[in-house]
Amino acid sequence: MKCNKVHNKLIFFLEKELSVSEMEQVQKHLNECSECALFAAEMKNTLRILDSDKVTDENPFFFTRVKARLEKQSQEEPVARPVLIRILQPVAFSIILLLGIYGGFKLGQTPKVAITDSSLSEQEMVPYWNELQDEPIESFLME
Amino acid sequence: MSDTDIIEQLKQGSELAFKKLVDTHQKLVVNTCYGLVQNREDAEDIAQDVFVEVYRNIDKFRADAKLSTWLYRIAVNRSLNHIRDNKKHKWFHSFEDEVAAKNKAVMQVSTANSDEPEYDFENKQRAIILKEAINSLPQNQKVAFTLSKYEELSYEEIAQVMDLSVSSVESLLFRAKKGLQKKLYKCYKKKCM
């Protein structure tokens, strides 16, 4: 048996889950190959930890804690909400949301400038929005 | 008092029956949770939730079912939920990286306590490697392996708890052991054990 074949069967060998002939073959290889024997020993020691790594002792306060948790949870249980609240609450939130969207649209719209013939109103409004039209940059630099 | 008596009395609201149930099955539940979450405090915390769930849902318990199977199922589900909730973003961390990081932590603890014997340190390292290897197994394989090793359940019992066929459990355990062996060999080759 080759080393890689032994590596594939090692865990089953250690757990004694191989057939008798396979057990013998693996054992024979381990007797001859020191490297595989080292890995087998390490693996055996590692898997042995599972036997001792268990909860063996009981917590004497365990039941008290379970009872306390049970009582705490029953106190925290939410009271059933009336039907009216269950319906009214989502409706109110929907209205607020729609109002918010409408308000956002209204605020986002640019104010319409009333176009009139009077030059005074144009002079009043245009500089506010675009000063360059009234005072081009070229003329400003020339001066 | 048999399990049937405990359940009957518990259905009538007997606190004494509940205490009996908790006392009798505490170790079973805590050990199962511990095998999956690998932390004693977390395991006890989950086990308490398991018994609370049992108390609340005792009316739903079928008389023909086995109490221990029901307890194992709740314990496994609760533990898996706990693991899922606590799962941090470890996608980019390889198994070897995690082992190396844990080894570093053990080294720091060990240096602080110089009286600790060497074999104890080696065993601690082995335990970390083994736990990491078990944790890296796929969920179903991990559950089957834990029930087999920590609770020493038979294939039939594991099949009942996991609601699978016995052949599926056999296959799960075979693949779990293969996976574990592969991970341990990889670690051995990289000198992390």
Side-chain angles (χ1 to χ4, degrees):
Chain A
M1 202 177 257
K2 286 182 180 174
C3 289
N4 59 347
K5 217 170 177 183
V6 170
H7 292 159
N8 283 335
K9 290 177 188 283
L10 206 52
I11 195 164
F12 303 104
F13 169 78
L14 295 171
E15 302 249 305
K16 297 181 178 67
E17 288 175 353
L18 293 177
S19 64
V20 180
S21 65
E22 279 183 316
M23 287 287 282
E24 283 171 1
Q25 282 176 356
V26 174
Q27 187 59 61
K28 194 179 166 218
H29 180 89
L30 293 178
N31 292 339
E32 291 162 0
C33 178
S34 59
E35 202 179 315
C36 287
L38 263 174
F39 176 56
E42 188 57 51
M43 187 111 142
K44 195 177 177 181
N45 286 333
T46 307
L47 291 174
R48 198 182 285 162
I49 289 165
L50 281 173
D51 300 329
S52 55
D53 188 38
K54 287 175 188 169
V55 179
T56 46
D57 56 322
E58 287 183 4
N59 184 345
F61 308 106
F62 191 80
F63 178 70
T64 325
R65 285 178 189 164
V66 173
K67 231 182 114 189
R69 188 167 290 205
L70 203 59
E71 279 163 13
K72 195 183 166 198
Q73 282 187 10
S74 47
Q75 279 170 6
E76 282 173 358
E77 263 180 8
V79 183
R81 290 185 299 168
V83 185
L84 202 64
I85 290 175
R86 273 190 286 166
I87 296 164
L88 279 180
Q89 208 173 34
V91 170
F93 280 128
S94 306
I95 291 167
I96 291 167
L97 184 71
L98 288 172
L99 280 173
I101 293 167
Y102 179 74
F105 270 116
K106 276 283 170 196
L107 280 172
Q109 278 174 354
T110 49
K112 283 179 188 169
V113 180
I115 301 160
T116 54
D117 288 339
S118 78
S119 58
L120 183 69
S121 64
E122 206 169 79
Q123 274 177 348
E124 272 175 359
M125 291 307 293
V126 171
Y128 179 72
W129 295 108
N130 188 5
E131 284 184 358
L132 285 173
Q133 277 182 5
D134 234 27
E135 196 178 336
I137 191 92
E138 292 88 352
S139 60
F140 175 74
L141 290 169
M142 290 288 277
E143 282 167 16
Chain B
M1 201 189 284
S2 71
D3 280 352
T4 325
D5 296 333
I6 291 174
I7 291 158
E8 279 311 310
Q9 287 184 29
L10 193 56
K11 278 181 181 174
Q12 288 160 14
S14 162
E15 196 186 306
L16 201 73
F18 185 52
K19 189 179 184 313
K20 184 80 185 160
L21 182 132
V22 173
D23 290 345
T24 317
H25 297 94
Q26 178 190 332
K27 221 189 274 180
L28 174 156
V29 176
V30 175
N31 209 26
T32 308
C33 297
Y34 177 72
L36 289 164
V37 300
Q38 300 289 345
N39 179 295
R40 179 74 196 255
E41 283 80 33
D42 286 349
E44 284 207 1
D45 205 45
I46 299 162
Q48 286 170 24
D49 280 339
V50 171
F51 285 110
V52 168
E53 193 176 331
V54 167
Y55 185 82
R56 288 184 184 282
N57 297 309
I58 195 70
D59 291 328
K60 291 177 191 165
F61 180 70
R62 289 182 289 114
D64 58 321
K66 218 173 150 190
L67 180 64
S68 60
T69 308
W70 192 43
L71 286 170
Y72 278 127
R73 258 185 216 174
I74 302 173
V76 166
N77 286 337
R78 288 257 172 188
S79 303
L80 293 178
N81 285 347
H82 174 88
I83 294 166
R84 199 187 52 217
D85 292 345
N86 284 350
K87 215 171 199 172
K88 287 170 190 154
H89 303 284
K90 285 180 179 174
W91 298 314
F92 302 109
H93 289 263
S94 69
F95 169 70
E96 286 81 21
D97 288 343
E98 280 178 29
V99 169
K102 295 264 176 153
N103 275 352
K104 202 178 161 190
V106 170
M107 194 76 86
Q108 280 168 349
V109 174
S110 177
T111 333
N113 183 10
S114 54
D115 295 337
E116 209 170 40
E118 202 178 318
Y119 71 86
D120 202 24
F121 170 69
E122 280 179 2
N123 266 349
K124 271 186 180 177
Q125 265 190 317
R126 285 189 189 114
I128 289 165
I129 291 161
L130 185 65
K131 282 176 184 183
E132 288 299 327
I134 294 170
N135 282 338
S136 66
L137 290 174
Q139 188 174 287
N140 265 5
Q141 291 180 24
K142 188 179 166 182
V143 172
F145 188 80
T146 305
L147 290 173
S148 164
K149 289 289 164 195
Y150 282 83
E151 279 301 302
E152 290 166 17
L153 295 190
S154 66
Y155 286 11
E156 286 80 12
E157 286 169 316
I158 298 170
Q160 278 176 4
V161 173
M162 295 181 76
D163 211 9
L164 294 170
S165 66
V166 176
S167 58
S168 302
V169 171
E170 276 175 4
S171 163
L172 277 177
L173 282 171
F174 179 80
R175 281 184 281 143
K177 284 173 188 175
K178 272 261 182 192
L180 214 57
Q181 180 177 256
K182 201 175 162 187
K183 283 180 173 79
L184 292 178
Y185 183 64
K186 217 170 154 186
C187 208
Y188 178 75
K189 276 287 184 195
K190 288 192 175 183
K191 308 274 181 214
C192 61
M193 67 187 270

